[in-house]
Amino acid sequence: MSAAPEVFPAQLDLWRERMEAALARRMPSAERLPQRLHAAMRYSVLGGGKRVRPILLLATARTLGLAEEQVEAAACALELVHVYSLVHDDLPAMDDDDLRRGRPTCHKAYDEATALLVGDALQSLAFELLARDPHLAASPAVQVRLVGLLAEAIGSVGMAGGQAIDLQSEGQQLDIGRIEQMHSLKTGALIRASVMMGAACAPQLDARLERALAGFAAPIGLAFQIQDDLLDVLGDTATLGKTAQSDHERGKSTYPAILGIAASQERVQRLSEQALESLAPFGTEADPLRAVADWLLARRN
Ligand code: GRG
């Protein structure tokens, strides 16, 4: 694939369309019992979102010469887990948000109990796909590796742990080291897993190249969250599709609040350069990942 800027947006659209169809096929129909739960799952997953994590996995797969069909189920698992985290994060017990992806949050469109169950069921479905999706072309050893990578990324030493630190820290001023640690767990862990699950689908991958991918994924994960903090300050609710300025209102410690906007933008730039340098051993083969990095850093929502 050419990563020329003028063709890449079209590739992103193709990947998003592919994911929309792949996710729709893998979720129970809204006619199937319990209909309300299945309708709420489909409402939460389909028809919105940038699909960043699946796209990172698909771009990694392309870099490694793997077919998209081979890894599509793993890409779906990442998005299902991500949507679970959004649905739970929006609940009144957590961030208490009314708007997500430009629409009422799951608990507003349905109810809180249903939103809890949607998150639970999406997480289960994600692991079910890794265990037995008929299109996942992976050996049992690779499947176990994928399950382990995803489980570690979203548990108490990953996303859920980062969320716990975030909630505990509301109203407190964290230093930058602590904020980076929280971001690295809350958001970074799943972004890293998106790349490393792609790598795991290529079991013959040279250890040096696997380390290069890890060296790309970690700074991209952190840059993505700092960018999110910046968008919360600089963006508007209509463009973001979620409530702007919400970090400040909740008394959250964020990069821009501690370092200011210009220094935060510089940090994003430096992290991005660091990520791109890590891809050097791949030569032009890694152009899909370079293009995804550029897209993520230029995003407006
Ligand atoms: C509830 C266990 C649990 C964890 C929640 C990830 C998370 C932890 C909460 C989501 C809320 C949030 C703002 C997290 C920061 C990560 C982030 C930038 C999420 C939004 O991801 P995008 O921009 O969203 O990829 P779309 O809608 O495009 O998929």
Side-chain angles (χ1 to χ4, degrees):
M1 182 194 95
S2 163
E6 66 277 11
V7 294
F8 195 67
Q11 176 60 62
L12 284 178
D13 286 342
L14 287 176
W15 274 337
R16 275 198 212 98
E17 279 163 31
R18 173 174 205 112
M19 289 313 302
E20 190 74 14
L23 287 160
R25 270 200 307 279
R26 285 173 172 87
M27 275 190 299
S29 134
E31 274 78 57
R32 182 165 169 190
L33 192 75
Q35 288 91 343
R36 186 174 168 81
L37 177 60
H38 290 144
M41 288 165 70
R42 297 183 76 90
Y43 171 84
S44 302
V45 172
L46 300 176
K50 296 180 291 298
R51 313 301 192 196
V52 169
R53 295 143 192 87
I55 285 174
L56 272 167
L57 189 146
L58 292 171
T60 305
R62 191 165 284 192
T63 294
L64 300 177
L66 303 173
E68 284 170 10
E69 304 73 52
Q70 189 181 335
V71 299
E72 187 184 87
C76 287
L78 283 163
E79 185 67 12
L80 294 175
V81 158
H82 168 59
V83 175
Y84 129 65
S85 81
L86 299 179
V87 169
H88 279 194
D89 182 70
D90 289 334
L91 282 165
M94 297 215 189
D95 271 3
D96 193 10
D97 265 310
D98 296 348
L99 195 65
R100 171 70 65 185
R101 293 177 167 176
R103 293 188 300 178
T105 46
C106 182
H107 67 277
K108 286 284 169 191
Y110 290 85
D111 56 77
E112 284 180 35
T114 302
L116 273 174
L117 292 170
V118 163
D120 296 341
L122 292 178
Q123 184 174 183
S124 299
L125 181 56
F127 285 101
E128 188 183 336
L129 295 184
L130 297 181
R132 59 174 197 211
D133 187 280
H135 303 287
L136 182 63
S139 66
V142 168
Q143 285 173 292
V144 169
R145 187 124 187 263
L146 291 172
V147 166
L149 283 168
L150 186 57
E152 185 182 12
I154 68 175
S156 61
V157 294
M159 183 177 77
Q163 177 78 344
I165 298 173
D166 193 12
L167 292 170
Q168 276 158 22
S169 316
E170 282 184 12
Q172 292 173 29
Q173 174 117 335
L174 300 186
D175 63 31
I176 282 299
R178 266 290 201 200
I179 293 181
E180 287 206 355
Q181 198 181 27
M182 176 178 80
H183 285 351
S184 152
L185 297 177
K186 189 176 96 164
T187 316
L190 192 58
I191 297 276
R192 285 196 301 278
S194 306
V195 175
M196 300 322 287
M197 284 170 66
C201 290
Q204 310 305 330
L205 184 66
D206 178 90
R208 188 177 70 102
L209 293 181
E210 191 175 348
R211 277 197 301 278
L213 287 173
F216 166 78
I220 279 295
L222 181 54
F224 181 76
Q225 179 61 61
I226 300 175
Q227 185 78 347
D228 202 68
D229 288 357
L230 280 162
L231 288 173
D232 188 72
V233 181
L234 301 173
D236 59 87
T237 299
T239 311
L240 293 177
K242 60 182 180 179
T243 315
Q245 316 283 332
S246 62
D247 291 339
H248 177 68
E249 276 163 28
R250 287 194 196 99
K252 291 201 179 197
S253 293
T254 65
Y255 241 87
I258 307 289
L259 285 190
I261 288 171
S264 302
Q265 286 167 332
E266 271 166 39
R267 180 83 177 119
V268 169
Q269 199 51 47
R270 268 212 318 281
L271 286 164
S272 151
E273 284 158 13
Q274 192 186 329
L276 295 177
E277 277 163 25
S278 297
L279 295 177
F282 288 98
T284 56
E285 297 295 308
D287 280 354
L289 282 171
R290 293 187 182 96
V292 171
D294 288 348
W295 162 59
L296 288 181
L297 302 177
R299 72 198 174 98
R300 291 286 164 264
N301 70 0

